[in-house]
């Protein structure tokens, strides 16, 4: 084993950079003080961080899994604005004792996630740290269309999701309990697979508010309700639950619906549309917006649990 401390920064970058994906928008990529991109329309920017033992565990996740997750959750953030992701900047901090092969395989995971979407890694930084952490800045472009925010939902509109929910939560529970009931849901926790492009699809169908479901359906719906100053009523029986989550729940003898309502990390899209006829095929209507700004209700009741909180767990 060769550690990154033994290899040194320059040699590590020389081995790491060629494994990264490239984008057609790149004018100048890694290797200089900054990258240069060509942008069509408005520039859309987001960032996220993954901390070892907080957002991923080495005993659960391969380096490729961590690279995939780092990329995919950021691509979803750009899609959730109705924009098109184009490039990532990735900063990796790690202890000098980390195996250099881990870093190279991490780059492979980034490439596997990004290449199908034409997204490149155009730079970033490497640093020493006590534990592994990954910070990603993602860039996207609007191609001249207006970004869709969380702010413009109106009373009397319909709320919909782009795919069944609860798979990532089901996978997490299996891993924490040391059970392997459904391989698909475990895989979807380790490597989220939102349909990148669903957000743009929603935007083109007139969505008035849009975001990706990272912290749980109820918590994220509450964010739209708060920013748009509307209420959101969700019908629990209409929320689609991933089939693998249903199967795992049967084996665990629990109700899978809380996974779909509060689990998070599926990174599918949550959108508000002006009317039922505007909802794209394949989406599921789960409720509606109301006049009173009353937050989120499920079947008319205030829920006891909303979902993931980054400071409370």
């Amino acid at each position: 084993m060769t550690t990154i401390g033994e290899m040194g920064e320059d040699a590590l970058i020389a081995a790491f950079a060629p494994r990264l994906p490239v984008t057609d928008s790149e004018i100048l990529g890694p290797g200089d003080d900054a990258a240069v991109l060509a942008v069509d329309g408005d520039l859309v920017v987001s960032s996220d961080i993954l901390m070892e033992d907080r957002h991923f565990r080495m005993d659960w996740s391969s380096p490729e899994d961590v690279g995939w997750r780092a990329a995919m959750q950021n691509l979803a953030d750009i899609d959730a604005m109705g924009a098109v992701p184009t490039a990532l900047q990735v900063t990796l901090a790690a202890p000098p004792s980390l195996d250099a092969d881990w870093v190279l395989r991490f780059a492979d995971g980034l490439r596997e996630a990004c290449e199908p979407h034409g997204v490149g890694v155009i730079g970033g930084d490497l640093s020493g740290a006590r534990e592994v952490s990954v910070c990603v800045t993602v860039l996207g472009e609007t191609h001249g269309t207006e970004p869709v925010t969380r702010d413009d939902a109106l009373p009397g509109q319909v709320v919909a999701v782009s795919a069944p929910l609860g798979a990532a939560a089901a996978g997490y529970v299996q891993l924490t309990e040391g059970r392997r009931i459904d391989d698909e849901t475990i895989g979807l926790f380790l490597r989220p697979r939102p349909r990148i492009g669903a957000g743009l699809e929603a935007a083109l169908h007139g969505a008035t508010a849009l975001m990706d479901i990272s912290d749980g359906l109820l918590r994220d719906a509450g964010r739209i309700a708060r920013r748009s100053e509307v209420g959101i009523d969700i019908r629990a029986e209409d929320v689609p639950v991933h089939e693998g989550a249903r199967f795992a729940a049967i084996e665990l003898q629990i109700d899978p619906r809380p996974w779909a309502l509060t689990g998070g990390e599926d990174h599918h899209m949550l959108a508000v549309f002006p009317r039922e006829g505007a909802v794209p095929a394949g989406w599921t209507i789960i409720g509606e917006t109301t006049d009173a700004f009353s937050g989120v209700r499920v079947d008319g009741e205030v829920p006891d649990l909303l979902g993931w909180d980054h400071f409370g767990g």
Side-chain angles (χ1 to χ4, degrees):
M1 180 183 83
T2 302
T3 69
I4 60 175
E6 293 167 339
M7 195 170 188
E9 182 179 359
D10 289 344
L12 184 60
I13 291 173
F16 180 79
R19 303 171 87 113
L20 297 173
V22 297
T23 172
D24 291 340
S25 300
E26 179 182 303
I27 297 174
L28 179 64
D32 216 307
D33 292 306
V36 181
L37 288 179
V39 178
D40 180 11
D42 294 327
L43 181 67
V44 184
V45 183
S46 183
S47 62
D48 213 340
I49 190 167
L50 284 81
M51 301 288 295
E52 182 181 357
D53 294 330
R54 176 68 172 172
H55 303 105
F56 67 92
R57 283 174 44 172
M58 293 289 204
D59 56 333
W60 289 354
S61 302
S62 70
E64 293 89 346
D65 291 337
V66 179
W68 177 286
R69 174 185 282 273
M72 195 59 70
Q73 64 188 41
N74 280 278
L75 300 185
D77 282 338
I78 296 298
D79 193 30
M81 300 299 293
V84 178
T86 56
L88 305 178
Q89 285 212 316
V90 181
T91 294
L92 174 67
S97 58
L98 183 68
D99 188 345
D101 185 62
W102 192 98
V103 179
L104 301 183
R105 291 172 60 192
F106 167 78
D108 290 341
L110 290 170
R111 187 182 66 253
E112 290 171 19
C114 289
E115 276 189 341
H117 306 290
V119 174
V121 175
I122 57 169
D125 196 14
L126 294 172
S127 178
R130 293 181 181 178
E131 59 188 12
V132 176
S133 65
V134 182
C135 183
V136 176
T137 297
V138 58
L139 308 173
E141 55 194 6
T142 61
H143 295 288
T145 62
E146 287 294 320
V148 183
T149 70
R150 306 174 185 182
D151 298 4
D152 296 324
L154 297 172
Q157 298 185 330
V158 297
V159 181
V161 293
S162 62
L165 307 177
Y172 175 76
V173 168
Q174 291 170 78
L175 288 167
T176 56
E177 296 190 4
R179 305 281 299 275
R180 198 167 194 94
I181 300 166
D182 181 76
D183 287 340
E184 183 182 9
T185 50
I186 292 173
L188 288 171
F189 170 73
L190 298 174
R191 294 192 181 203
R193 294 180 181 270
R195 180 168 59 86
I196 302 299
L200 177 58
E201 177 182 62
L204 295 175
H205 279 74
T208 57
L210 178 65
M211 67 181 299
D212 83 306
I213 302 171
S214 57
D215 296 331
L217 171 63
L218 300 188
R219 185 173 294 280
D220 289 331
R223 289 166 172 151
I224 288 178
R226 184 165 56 252
R227 290 289 296 269
S228 292
E229 298 185 347
V230 297
I232 292 182
D233 283 352
I234 291 174
R235 296 180 295 274
E237 66 177 15
D238 290 341
V239 176
V241 180
H242 189 278
E243 283 302 315
R246 291 185 184 277
F247 176 70
I250 290 171
E251 293 295 313
L252 294 168
Q253 298 184 333
I254 58 177
D255 180 3
R257 196 157 300 278
W259 290 340
L261 291 171
T262 65
E265 297 200 336
D266 290 310
H267 296 287
H268 295 308
M269 294 296 134
L270 169 66
V272 180
F273 294 93
R275 59 193 179 281
E276 289 191 16
V279 178
W283 288 61
T284 303
I285 296 173
I286 60 169
E288 55 274 326
T289 56
T290 62
D291 287 308
F293 173 44
S294 54
V296 175
R297 294 179 181 269
V298 179
D299 298 330
E301 302 292 332
V302 177
D304 295 327
L305 182 67
L306 291 177
W308 173 260
D309 184 289
H310 289 275
F311 297 100

